[in-house]
Amino acid sequence: MHTKRIRFPGLEKRLMSAQEAAELFRDGMVVGMSGFTKAGDCKAMPAALAERARRDGLSITLITGASLGNDSDGVMAEAGLLARRMPFQGDATLRRKINAGEVMFIDQHLSETAEQLRAGNLDAIDIAVIEAVAITEDGGIVPSTSVGNSANFAQQARRVIIELNLSMPAALEDLHDIYVPGPRPGRRPIPLTHCGQRIGTRAIEVDPARIAAIVLTDSPDSPSTILPPDAETQSIARHVVGFLQGEVDAGRLEPSLLPLQAGIGTIANAVLHGLVGSPFSGMTMYSEVLQDSAFDLLDSGQLTFASASSITLSERRHQAFLDDVERYRSRLLLRPQEISNHPEILRRLGLIAINTALEFDLYGNVNSTHVGGTHMMNGIGGSGDFARNAHLSIFVSKSVAKGGAVSSVVPMATHVDHTEHDVDVVATEWGLADLRGLAPRERARLIIERCCHPDFRDELRAYFERACAQAGGQTPQLLGEAFAWHLRYRDTGSMRP
């Protein structure tokens, strides 16, 4: 079967096991691996490299598109393979190593990694490891369920290892649009003006002479761990849908809205799912990840086209998609993440961006990465790319966490990923605050009344009034009290007064 997937003459001679390919790596190398939110990630090489690390003390810098599946990050971290890691991760073992200072993690906007590599601001890729469904007659690499940074890795790497995944249907071959921006200065505008437009090639162009090994695999992507909508996420969705309907009624949006973007995770997925059966139709999507909700909208007929860099689905949805790729293929495109997240395109298309906050403060500053301001969760991902450049930047969160012990609305965010300048709307299950055109003091009052959980509302209201009276200023804060809620949680296990 693999002979139909390897169509460039002579490349079959480079077939080898993952263990044999792992011998090509040297200590201190910079490795680029495919994979974006568990999709299109390498299945065999991470384990083989971890085995080498345990045996030989191998240590590398690993750069990916985003998080990997199959516990790969954890396996590699536990083996001591990872000295440095960027730009995003979502593994509990790796997270523990990062927060213990054992792995140096560089958190980046997902649109920037390729640019940093291209500019030489990061060490060059020594070996790229890329999952593919086929190698074309010209030696081009056809990615699987994500593109991520693979095109840039393959373009730059001294050597390329291809994991040819035979479990992925060959019908994925026409799903990709690979466009790599030209050099700066003098770069021409990216010629993309609508979501369904093709501007590049159907495969990643690479000199076949640099393909050092082909490893056969037969393993599916890890399923996403999103939870089904619950009462609280359904309430958040209703608030967002009501807000968008108000924008249509006011003439600021058409019933087709503007291209949608939704961040990874349960809450953003649930909010997007809330659009199913809504009054909106003829919608499009320009996002970094397509989750279950995007396919629910495609099936409903309300979403006409979806562009992203990755398809990350639950186990049920993933298999259904692979079994029926041809039905969706005319309405989907997967692009490099530097294109799916590119500020030029996002600003041009005018997106409605929906992303998730760990916490936000009473002025609308959003923390999406650090628990307690110190401990990394996953990373900023693409939320900053979209929030800064969207037509509407919406952040959603449940109002409380840890069984109600922690308020997601706080006096001052312990870490700021998205400043108040990039946040238009915040919503919890209690309500939605439209912050556009409001000064900080006006924002604070609206957030307290609309978004804060009732158990914390009186205390947050009292804090704000004290801050106005005692500190004053355009953005009143009592620095001695600002993090008192977090200290209370540290000392007692609850923010509750």
Side-chain angles (χ1 to χ4, degrees):
M1 180 179 179
H2 67 266
T3 56
K4 298 179 181 179
R5 304 284 189 113
I6 304 174
R7 302 199 294 270
F8 186 86
L11 280 184
E12 296 95 339
K13 297 177 182 178
R14 296 175 200 171
L15 283 166
M16 63 180 73
S17 69
Q19 288 72 27
E20 290 171 322
E23 295 300 321
L24 300 174
F25 293 76
R26 298 291 177 266
D27 194 58
M29 276 187 167
V30 178
V31 177
M33 276 191 184
S34 68
F36 196 109
T37 58
K38 298 186 178 183
D41 59 317
C42 299
K43 311 300 193 293
M45 290 306 300
L49 288 170
E51 182 181 326
R52 262 212 67 194
R54 287 189 291 268
R55 185 183 73 230
D56 302 331
L58 182 70
S59 178
I60 64 171
T61 292
L62 179 64
I63 309 176
T64 61
S67 54
L68 304 178
N70 297 287
D71 298 321
S72 293
D73 265 325
V75 169
M76 291 187 287
E78 197 64 60
L81 176 68
L82 305 182
R84 304 178 76 81
R85 179 76 169 85
M86 66 180 79
F88 188 86
Q89 59 79 40
D91 182 89
T93 300
L94 176 55
R95 184 181 303 123
R96 174 171 52 81
K97 296 276 189 179
I98 290 168
N99 288 321
E102 297 174 27
V103 176
M104 295 296 103
F105 179 63
I106 298 91
D107 187 25
Q108 288 184 317
H109 296 294
L110 294 188
S111 68
E112 289 191 348
T113 308
E115 294 282 23
Q116 294 286 325
L117 285 165
R118 189 179 291 118
N121 297 335
L122 301 173
D123 290 340
I125 302 292
D126 293 299
I127 297 180
V129 189
I130 299 171
E131 179 172 273
V133 298
I135 303 171
T136 69
E137 293 82 356
D138 299 326
I141 302 169
V142 181
S144 57
T145 48
S146 73
V147 179
N149 280 320
S150 294
N152 191 267
F153 294 159
Q155 185 180 66
Q156 183 182 110
R158 297 177 178 90
R159 289 171 137 181
V160 178
I161 296 173
I162 297 174
E163 282 201 9
L164 193 62
N165 192 338
L166 302 181
S167 77
M168 294 289 180
L172 288 172
E173 186 162 340
D174 201 38
L175 199 64
H176 312 91
D177 184 43
I178 311 300
Y179 180 92
V180 177
R184 298 183 294 194
R187 176 184 294 174
R188 297 183 63 80
I190 298 172
L192 197 154
T193 57
H194 62 84
C195 295
Q197 184 180 358
R198 280 190 177 272
I199 60 174
T201 61
R202 284 167 165 76
I204 298 170
E205 296 178 351
V206 62
D207 180 359
R210 290 193 289 115
I211 298 176
I214 301 172
V215 175
L216 298 182
T217 65
D218 190 20
S219 302
D221 287 339
S222 295
S224 74
T225 55
I226 56 170
L227 300 172
D230 59 22
E232 292 166 336
T233 55
Q234 288 173 335
S235 181
I236 296 170
R238 284 194 296 272
H239 295 313
V240 173
V241 170
F243 166 75
L244 294 174
Q245 184 61 57
E247 293 295 288
V248 173
D249 294 342
R252 290 188 287 267
L253 290 175
E254 296 296 323
S256 58
L257 304 178
L258 285 165
L260 300 167
Q261 178 265 332
I264 192 72
T266 294
I267 298 179
N269 180 73
V271 170
L272 198 65
H273 183 272
L275 293 172
V276 176
S278 70
F280 313 120
S281 62
M283 293 182 287
T284 58
M285 194 166 182
Y286 194 86
S287 192
E288 58 185 359
V289 180
L290 302 181
Q291 298 189 97
D292 287 22
S293 55
F295 286 84
D296 294 337
L297 283 168
L298 285 168
D299 289 345
S300 76
Q302 294 171 268
L303 187 67
T304 61
F305 200 93
S307 168
S309 190
S310 166
I311 297 173
T312 303
L313 301 171
S314 66
E315 188 170 7
R316 174 187 61 84
R317 262 295 187 184
H318 179 72
Q319 193 56 52
F321 165 68
L322 293 183
D323 291 341
D324 206 10
V325 172
E326 294 185 4
R327 183 165 70 88
Y328 291 105
R329 196 165 54 183
S330 64
R331 295 184 288 163
L332 297 175
L333 277 179
L334 294 181
R335 311 179 191 273
Q337 68 193 68
E338 64 173 323
I339 301 301
S340 68
N341 293 38
H342 201 288
E344 173 193 342
I345 300 171
L346 308 184
R347 185 65 62 92
R348 179 184 298 139
L349 297 181
L351 269 61
I352 298 171
I354 304 169
N355 289 285
T356 304
L358 283 179
E359 66 179 5
F360 56 89
D361 67 24
L362 52 82
Y363 297 112
N365 299 291
V366 170
N367 172 15
S368 61
T369 59
H370 285 76
V371 176
T374 58
H375 281 57
M376 171 60 65
M377 179 58 72
N378 298 325
I380 194 170
S383 56
D385 299 322
F386 291 99
R388 174 63 58 91
N389 298 289
H391 170 78
L392 279 172
S393 173
I394 301 171
F395 279 90
V396 294
S397 176
K398 292 188 177 183
S399 65
V400 292
K402 300 294 183 182
V406 172
S407 175
S408 301
V409 186
V410 295
M412 180 182 286
T414 56
H415 178 94
V416 175
D417 296 290
H418 314 283
T419 72
E420 59 186 287
H421 313 95
D422 298 330
V423 180
D424 296 317
V425 173
V426 291
T428 69
E429 72 274 20
W430 294 98
L432 179 145
D434 180 359
L435 307 179
R436 295 173 298 174
L438 299 184
R441 294 186 187 217
E442 296 169 313
R443 285 177 164 226
R445 292 188 173 92
L446 194 63
I447 287 172
I448 292 168
E449 301 307 322
R450 296 277 180 88
C451 300
C452 188
H453 192 283
D455 288 355
F456 296 97
R457 192 173 293 152
D458 286 345
E459 187 179 8
L460 191 57
R461 189 185 293 122
Y463 169 85
F464 174 64
E465 296 301 334
R466 289 197 307 276
C468 289
Q470 297 175 29
Q474 190 231 13
T475 308
Q477 292 281 15
L478 295 173
L479 298 183
E481 293 186 34
F483 297 136
W485 292 23
H486 298 277
L487 296 174
R488 185 188 304 152
Y489 174 68
R490 181 198 66 187
D491 296 338
T492 69
S494 175
M495 286 184 178
R496 290 178 180 274

